[in-house]
């Protein structure tokens, strides 16, 4: 296997990138920390509900929550062992997560790096599902779903997504529902695994004391080779505008909560460019250094739990404002007014330079630890970007870029709000 | 032995210590300045309010906007003043992280900028004179009281944290440990701006101060920090010795709320704290019992009995108490409770394998070695030990002690653990 060495002198980082004969992308990031970190990720998450490969005539739609269910089940091996215990016996800390866009299996360790990597490569490519094991997991995930339902922020977040998106599967809860997971069978799990867990759809990222040659050697031994599935995802046509402008629900919270969103239809900008422009713009207009924040904070309309961000995903993007307020409708009105006024008055260049530096600093901070690098790398990688190139992409954003972004994307007809009211 | 993570301690003034942590693995520098007091309702109220008022503004940066803009301009540096409890010691920490000088693309001297900012925020607050008394700005005190009441009320939004907090309130009633570190509205409300200022002056003059710096570019740091305290005539008080546990009958408490999932929280007395020579044996016991994904609680209550997604045990080793938490369906309360008791009994009876013991040791070894990667984690780790009077220690020395822990010592540590409280938060029943 051949690795390219890429160096990023501005931030003092480097990485080796290569593609294994199986199709697996392999990234080795040298670091000198006590811990090393490894993730094996697949471009498969909560949004991948409708798909087909070259072997099937028609698209299939699977029950919600499969990607997350698979993540739980893969740890169980055919011989009855639990892969979690295999890692911990070697002193490693294993974990896994599923998002709308991807699933990752990972471990952090200060010792036995290659033995742990061997376990990772083996278990992810060795699916084993029976009716009995599937039923057992329904109980555990059922509790996870209930825990999620009691989280007011999570409820507000999904209520917002349902208000913004009529059909796009980003609106679906990643864990699914108790009803949808009850329909999962071993056959569906095997089908999803053989489609999305083919190495050509996956990336291994190791960060720490690993050597590229030894990593390549383990891939030769444990990553299976087979015919590559050509995966087609079917994402429904999502029309412009939002589904409903305002929704509210009662929940056991102390103060009203709000999640406001701006749906971004134009996906032509690269993910990194879009992220950089929107994050800088949001910080300028609504961040803690903005006039908006100062004004509303001093009036007691918002508190230090007010945040805004741009979320960039595979085939969807949106901006989000969230917080607590005695008068969420007033906060929303103020957000809309701020956008309207700044479009007329223009943006402050000093604020632009300041917020650009701030975002740059936050991105470089991702490189503080192997875990920080690995997680952020994997997120950007499956979006078609690179964490390593992100700081310089941010540094290259111009004032004109951000002005264009404001006028192009910030339209009130693409905005809506979800409110949670105390019972 | 790695030099990373080792502490070098020097005195800067009466009761003011600088702890330098050898660290060059991160892109950022870290500074924490911690003021220590005995935890009581009045300290909690004043500390909580003071922390918020201090970051609202200072003489040089009078508004929140000004403070934030300066931080943004310093490459998104973060700065916060928080309050925590370590056992029954109250800690108000000013902490900040900032990008090292060499990563600034415009050549800004970030370390110098942030040290200056620390000095301004902590030592040059925004004051006004009211009726001949120096006080914090009334407008800031008033609005931060309201924000604090909201933050206290918002604790209910995270059901698991709320349940854990309530358990300790019941278990440690009439002990300082049950005091909420955020304070209570009744104690916060009467504090006037000049009283708050008097509390601040007292802290600067009398509180023991532990300063931590992890990073690089710290030439002259000791001298700069010493300069912060130059004009303060220090008269430091001694923190109280840890109090003995109050022995009482086991407490059971229940609460209902409009929720889907129930929360079972059990409280225990450890029978020791981290100063005890047998503490390493307790660490191994806890890792085996519920402190990792290879623990008995995870393997049995979650994976075998399928009763929950989250289950773990967590000690508070300065006070010497421990909690077991499980998020469950309401109808499984008894099964979960019996299951947890059974796993504790298994360890007390010595019915665990050598492999379990070695797995627990391996997990702890890994955790301790990893601590050296994170400045913030190292600071908390060292601060906890300094508060307990453990000066000559390090993650490496702790690993050495863990290697010597025997099966018998783990059984003895488990035998010291006594159940003291059961708290259950469950869904409300709909009216029939």
């Amino acid at each position: 296997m051949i690795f390219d060495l890429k160096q990023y002198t501005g931030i003092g980082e480097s990485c080796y990138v290569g593609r294994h004969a199986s199709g697996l992308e392999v990234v080795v990031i040298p670091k000198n920390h006590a811990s090393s970190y490894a993730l094996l990720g697949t471009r498969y998450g909560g949004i991948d509900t409708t798909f087909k490969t070259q072997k099937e005539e028609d698209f299939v739609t699977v029950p919600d929550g499969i990607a997350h269910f698979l993540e739980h089940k893969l740890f169980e091996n055919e011989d009855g062992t639990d892969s979690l215990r295999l890692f911990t016996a070697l002193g490693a800390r294993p974990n896994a997560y599923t998002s709308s866009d991807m699933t990752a299996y990972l471990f952090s360790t200060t010792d036995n790096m290659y033995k742990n990597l061997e376990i990772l490569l083996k278990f992810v490519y060795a699916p084993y599902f029976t009716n009995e094991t599937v039923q057992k997991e329904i109980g555990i995930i059922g509790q996870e779903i209930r825990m999620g339902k009691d989280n007011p922020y999570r409820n507000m977040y999904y209520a917002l997504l349902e208000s913004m998106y009529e059909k796009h599967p980003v609106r679906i809860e990643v864990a699914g529902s108790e009803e949808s997971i009850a329909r999962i069978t071993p056959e569906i799990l095997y089908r999803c695994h053989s489609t999305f867990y083919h190495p050509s759809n996956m990336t291994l990222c190791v960060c720490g004391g690993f050597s590229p040659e030894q990593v390549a050697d383990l891939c030769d031994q444990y990553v299976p080779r087979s015919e590559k599935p050509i995966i087609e995802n079917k994402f429904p046509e999502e029309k412009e505008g939002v589904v409903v402008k305002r929704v509210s629900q009662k929940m056991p919270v102390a103060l009203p909560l709000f999640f406001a969103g701006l749906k971004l239809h134009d996906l032509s900008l690269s993910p990194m460019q879009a992220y950089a422009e929107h994050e800088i713009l949001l910080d300028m207009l609504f961040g803690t250094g903005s006039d908006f924040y100062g004004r509303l904070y001093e009036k007691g309309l918002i508190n230090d739990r007010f945040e805004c961000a741009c979320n960039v995903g595979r085939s969807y993007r949106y901006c989000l404002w969230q917080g607590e307020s005695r008068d969420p409708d007033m906060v929303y009105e103020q957000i809309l007014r701020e956008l309207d006024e700044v479009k007329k008055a223009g943006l402050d260049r000093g604020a632009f330079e300041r917020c650009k530096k701030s975002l740059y600093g936050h991105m470089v901070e991702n490189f503080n630890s192997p875990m920080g690098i690995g997680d952020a790398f994997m997120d950007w990688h499956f979006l078609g970007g690179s964490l390593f190139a992100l700081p310089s992409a941010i540094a290259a954003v111009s004032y004109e870029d951000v002005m264009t972004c404001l006028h192009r994307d910030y339209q009130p007809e693409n905005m809506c709000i979800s409110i949670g009211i105390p019972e | 032995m790695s030099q990373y993570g080792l502490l070098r301690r020097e005195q800067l003034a009466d009761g003011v210590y600088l702890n330098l942590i050898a660290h060059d693995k991160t892109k950022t520098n870290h500074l924490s300045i911690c003021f220590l007091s005995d935890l009581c309702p009045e300290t909690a109220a004043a500390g909580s309010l003071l922390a918020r008022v201090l970051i609202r503004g200072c003489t040089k940066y009078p508004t929140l906007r000004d403070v934030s803009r300066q931080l943004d301009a310093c490459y998104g540096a973060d700065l916060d003043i928080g309050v925590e409890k370590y056992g029954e010691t109250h800690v108000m920490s000013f902490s900040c992280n900032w990008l090292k000088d060499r990563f600034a693309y415009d050549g800004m001297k970030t370390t110098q900028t942030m040290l200056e900012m620390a000095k301004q925020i902590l030592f040059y607050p925004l004051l006004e004179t009211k009726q001949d008394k120096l006080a914090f700005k009334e407008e800031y005190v008033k609005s931060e009281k309201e924000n604090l009441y909201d933050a206290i009320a918002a604790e209910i939004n995270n059901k698991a944290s709320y349940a854990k907090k309530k358990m300790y309130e019941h278990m440690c009633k009439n002990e300082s440990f049950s005091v909420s570190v955020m304070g209570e509205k009744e104690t916060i409300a009467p504090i006037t701006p000049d009283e708050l200022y008097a509390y601040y002056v007292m802290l600067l003059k009398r509180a023991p101060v532990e300063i931590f710096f992890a990073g690089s570019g710290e030439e002259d740091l000791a001298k700069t920090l010493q300069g912060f305290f130059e004009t303060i005539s220090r008269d430091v008080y001694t923190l109280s010795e840890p109090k003995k546990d109050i022995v009482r009958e086991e407490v059971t408490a229940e609460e209902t709320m409009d929720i889907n999932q129930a929360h079972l929280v059990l409280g225990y007395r450890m029978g020791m704290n981290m100063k005890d020579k047998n503490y390493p044996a307790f660490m191994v016991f806890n890792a085996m019992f519920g402190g990792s994904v290879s623990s008995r609680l995870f393997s049995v209550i979650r994976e075998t009995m399928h009763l929950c997604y989250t289950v773990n045990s967590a000690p508070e080793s300065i006070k010497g108490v421990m909690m077991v938490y499980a998020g469950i369906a309401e109808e499984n309360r008894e099964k979960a409770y019996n299951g947890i008791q059974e796993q504790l009994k298994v360890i007390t009876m010595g019915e665990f394998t050598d492999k379990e013991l070695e797995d627990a040791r391996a997990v702890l070894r890994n955790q301790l070695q990893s601590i050296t990667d994170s400045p913030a984690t190292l600071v908390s780790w060292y601060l906890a030990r300094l508060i307990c009077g453990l000066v000559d220690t390090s993650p490496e020395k702790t690993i050495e002690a863990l290697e010597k822990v025997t099966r018998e010592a783990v059984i003895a540590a488990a035998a010291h653990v006594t159940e003291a409280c059961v708290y259950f938060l469950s869904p409300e029943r709909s009216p029939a």
Side-chain angles (χ1 to χ4, degrees), chain A residues 251-312:
Chain A
M251 41 180 56
V253 289
L255 265 187
L257 297 186
F258 63 87
F259 271 60
L262 165 70
K263 188 172 168 187
L264 301 171
H265 271 282
D266 185 348
L267 305 184
S268 54
L269 270 187
S270 79
M272 295 202 297
Q273 185 71 16
Y275 176 80
E277 287 180 11
H278 282 285
E279 284 278 329
I280 292 171
L281 184 57
L282 286 171
D283 197 20
M284 286 169 69
L285 300 180
F286 304 104
T288 51
S290 67
D291 291 333
F292 172 93
Y293 189 97
R295 211 169 60 238
L296 269 69
Y297 188 96
E298 281 155 20
K299 285 189 179 143
L301 267 177
I302 58 174
N303 58 31
D304 61 5
R305 284 180 289 290
F306 177 80
E307 288 174 14
C308 50
C310 176
N311 285 357
V312 175

Side-chain angles (χ1 to χ4, degrees), chain A residues 11 13 33-35 85 88-89 91 93 110 136 143 150 252 254 288-289 291 297 326 354 357 362 368 423, chain B residues 26-28 65 68-69 72-73 76 106 144 147 150 153 258 260-261 294 299 306 328 359 366 369-370 373:
Chain A
I11 52 172
E13 298 290 334
H33 287 63
S35 298
R85 297 216 69 131
T88 53
R93 276 171 295 172
T110 55
K136 187 204 89 168
Q143 281 314 306
D150 286 341
T288 51
D291 291 333
Y297 188 96
R326 281 174 177 76
R354 178 172 49 79
K357 277 170 81 168
H362 287 137
N368 267 356
E423 286 167 341
Chain B
T26 51
K27 301 288 194 241
T28 51
R65 218 170 315 189
S68 297
R69 287 180 184 188
D72 286 346
D106 66 352
E144 287 309 325
N147 286 333
D150 288 345
D258 176 19
N260 294 287
Q261 187 188 48
S294 58
S299 315
H306 329 142
I328 55 173
D359 281 1
N366 194 321
Q369 284 166 344
S370 311
D373 285 341

Side-chain angles (χ1 to χ4, degrees), chain A residues 81-96:
Chain A
T81 57
D82 180 344
S83 300
L84 284 174
R85 297 216 69 131
L86 299 178
F87 283 113
T88 53
L90 294 171
R93 276 171 295 172
N95 210 336

Side-chain angles (χ1 to χ4, degrees), chain A residues 29 37 48 54-55 57 78 86 121 134 142 172 185 205 209 214 228 249 260 266 272 301 307 322 332 362 379 390:
Chain A
I29 304 167
Y37 191 62
D48 298 293
Q54 71 273 30
K55 291 192 175 137
E57 280 267 343
E78 190 167 353
L86 299 178
L121 292 172
V134 165
I172 301 169
T185 64
C205 173
Q214 284 184 264
K228 174 180 164 172
Q249 56 182 293
D266 185 348
M272 295 202 297
L301 267 177
E307 288 174 14
Q322 67 179 78
Y332 186 55
H362 287 137
D379 281 348
L390 189 51

